[in-house]
Amino acid sequence: MSYQEFAYYYDSLMDPAFYDEYVHFLNEHIHFQVGLELGCGTGEMTLRLIEEGKQITATDLSNDMLEVLFEKAAFKQYHFPIY
């Protein structure tokens, strides 16, 4: 399976509770407003942090994963600069 296909299945393979627990962990142990997420995948963590008011720059080597992130962001009416 190519990354292009995998990008659209990735979120269905992940447990949403993981992201909830990880955001809770970050907020409990690290106080930040600006962050960089390397290897953001489909951006699930990126979007959750943005929803908490944080300024996040996200990147991934897979353009297909980033495409999914942009689709999710557009659905939520978030706009990201693309570099």
Side-chain angles (χ1 to χ4, degrees):
M1 180 183 308
S2 71
Y3 256 115
Q4 185 174 15
E5 294 172 8
F6 180 66
Y8 288 93
Y9 292 104
Y10 182 82
D11 287 334
S12 67
L13 301 173
M14 298 298 292
D15 181 0
F18 165 79
Y19 295 112
D20 294 335
E21 292 170 9
Y22 196 58
V23 167
H24 177 74
F25 174 84
L26 289 175
N27 287 330
E28 190 173 295
H29 297 286
I30 303 170
H31 302 288
F32 68 101
Q33 282 305 112
V34 177
L36 171 64
E37 185 178 8
L38 303 173
C40 68
T42 62
E44 191 63 33
M45 184 62 68
T46 303
L47 295 174
R48 288 172 187 251
L49 292 171
I50 288 171
E51 288 169 359
E52 292 201 347
K54 302 193 184 318
Q55 296 175 338
I56 304 297
T57 299
T59 187
D60 198 284
L61 291 176
S62 168
N63 287 334
D64 298 313
M65 292 286 197
L66 292 173
E67 185 177 311
V68 174
L69 166 58
F70 293 142
E71 288 172 7
K72 288 180 181 181
F75 180 77
K76 295 180 180 235
Q77 298 183 338
Y78 297 156
H79 301 284
F80 294 111
I82 300 172
Y83 302 104

